Amino acid sequence: MRRFLTPGWLGLHAIAVLLCGAFIGFGWWQYDRAQAGNDRSWAYTFEWPIFAIFVIVMWIKMIRDEKAGVSPAPRVIEEPAEAAVKREIIRQQEEEDPALAAYNRYLARLNSQTDRRG
């Protein structure tokens, strides 16, 4: 239970409470407008509380996922087929045009240098 009291989780709890309060307040505001004769506001009267329910559902889902140890997304997406295709295209280009091959090697070297900085 302590992991839900970390600064990151406390921020998420605060955002969830803030959003729910704001959405309920917007719904109440639209209800007042609808009572004053604005017919379009009737739809918004029900829409804003649905947004609040969505926030609560997602908040609960995030807590359950954290308890179950589910990772939100994979850290590295490997696409070996794409890399093989790129290598084959480069190989074909090197056979066709040596100047283009030299330029591609130059670009690859520049790209590898910027990868090391980031």
Side-chain angles (χ1 to χ4, degrees):
M1 226 27 195
R2 285 183 180 234
R3 66 182 145 190
F4 299 116
L5 297 176
T6 61
W9 273 102
L10 289 175
L12 288 174
H13 299 323
I15 289 172
V17 169
L18 181 74
L19 284 175
C20 285
F23 292 162
I24 296 298
F26 291 151
W28 187 261
W29 170 59
Q30 290 296 331
Y31 176 73
D32 287 341
R33 288 179 48 125
Q35 289 291 328
N38 187 348
D39 291 336
R40 186 180 299 162
S41 291
W42 282 111
Y44 295 122
T45 299
F46 298 105
E47 182 181 23
W48 284 110
I50 290 171
F51 290 158
I53 291 169
F54 177 76
V55 168
I56 292 168
V57 167
M58 293 308 296
W59 180 63
I60 290 171
K61 182 186 179 325
M62 287 172 53
I63 289 174
R64 285 186 179 170
D65 286 349
E66 179 70 22
K67 282 183 179 179
V70 176
S71 174
R75 297 197 190 281
V76 176
I77 299 173
E78 296 182 20
E79 298 177 9
E82 183 178 328
V85 170
K86 285 181 183 177
R87 280 194 303 273
E88 179 61 26
I89 290 171
I90 291 170
R91 187 189 63 75
Q92 288 175 359
Q93 287 177 348
E94 286 178 349
E95 290 176 357
E96 293 173 8
D97 188 1
L100 180 61
Y103 182 69
N104 284 336
R105 284 192 298 275
Y106 169 73
L107 291 177
R109 189 177 76 243
L110 288 178
N111 188 35
S112 69
Q113 290 172 354
T114 51
D115 287 345
R116 281 188 246 145
R117 281 190 242 150

